[in-house]
Amino acid sequence: MKSLIYSSHASEDTDLNVLVDILTIAKKKNEKHGITGMLIFDGKIFLHYIEGEPQKVDQLYHNIQHDSRHHSLKILGTRLHEYRLFKDWSMGYMNNSSQILKTYEKITGRMEPDINALDYRQAQLLISNLSKIV
Ligand SMILES: Cc1cc2nc3c(=O)[nH]c(=O)nc-3n(C[C@H](O)[C@H](O)[C@H](O)COP(=O)(O)O)c2cc1C
C-alpha cells in the first residue's frame, strides 16, 4: 500500500459547485480503483491524502496533476504501508477553516498557516486529526 500527500491551490473559479463535482466523481472512481483518503480544503488550499496500490496511486496523481481546477501542486511525501489509514473513506472531505487553523497551530506551533511548508509527518498528523472531527 502506498500513500501520497500533496498540497495545491484552488483555481480562481473553483466554487462549491465545482467541489461537489470533484467529490462526486472522485468517490465513484476511488471506490472502483481501491483508493481511500481524505481531502482538506480551507477555501484556497487543498491538502489531499491518497492511499492504495502503488500503481493506482501514481495513476491517480498523474490525473489530478493535470486538472485545471487547481494549480501549484507540491508532493509533501509518499510512504509505503501495510495498512490503510482511511480504510472506510473512499473520499473523505473536511472544509472547516477554523478547525483547520486550530489543528495546524496545535501541530506546528505556528500561527501563520503555511500548508506547503508541512513535511509528510506533520501533514499526515493534521489530516488524521481533522478526520476525527468531521
Ligand atoms: C483537488 C482535487 C482532488 C481530486 N481528487 C480526486 C480523487 O481522489 N479521485 C479521483 O478519481 N479524482 C480526483 N480528482 C479529479 C481528477 O483530477 C479527474 O478529474 C477525475 O479523476 C476524472 O478523470 P477522468 O475524466 O480521466 O476519468 C481531483 C481533482 C482535484 C482538483
Side-chain angles (χ1 to χ4, degrees), residues 77-120:
T78 64
R79 293 286 187 279
L80 291 175
H81 312 259
E82 241 171 279
Y83 303 104
R84 289 174 191 265
L85 200 58
F86 296 104
K87 69 179 174 57
D88 298 325
W89 307 59
S90 62
M91 186 68 182
Y93 178 64
M94 187 318 159
N95 70 345
N96 182 330
S97 306
S98 61
Q99 280 295 350
I100 295 170
L101 200 60
K102 222 161 124 184
T103 313
Y104 178 92
E105 281 175 23
K106 195 176 86 183
I107 287 169
T108 63
R110 291 198 300 267
M111 302 282 282
E112 285 291 309
D114 182 2
I115 298 275
N116 292 321
L118 293 174
D119 61 26
Y120 176 93

Side-chain angles (χ1 to χ4, degrees), residues 6 22 26 29-30 46 48 60 63-64 67 69-70 91:
Y6 70 87
I22 293 174
K29 285 193 68 180
N30 290 355
F46 292 109
H48 196 182
L60 173 58
N63 286 347
I64 288 176
D67 195 314
R69 293 171 289 191
H70 62 170
M91 186 68 182

Side-chain angles (χ1 to χ4, degrees), residues 7 9 13 15 19-20 22 26 34-35 38 42 44 52-53 60-61 65 72 74 83 96 105 112 116 118 124:
S7 62
H9 293 254
D13 47 1
D15 59 13
L19 263 165
V20 171
I22 293 174
I35 296 280
M38 176 92 199
D42 72 355
K44 283 187 180 162
E53 290 303 322
L60 173 58
Y61 185 71
Q65 232 181 343
S72 311
K74 182 182 176 197
Y83 303 104
N96 182 330
E105 281 175 23
E112 285 291 309
N116 292 321
L118 293 174
Q124 193 210 52

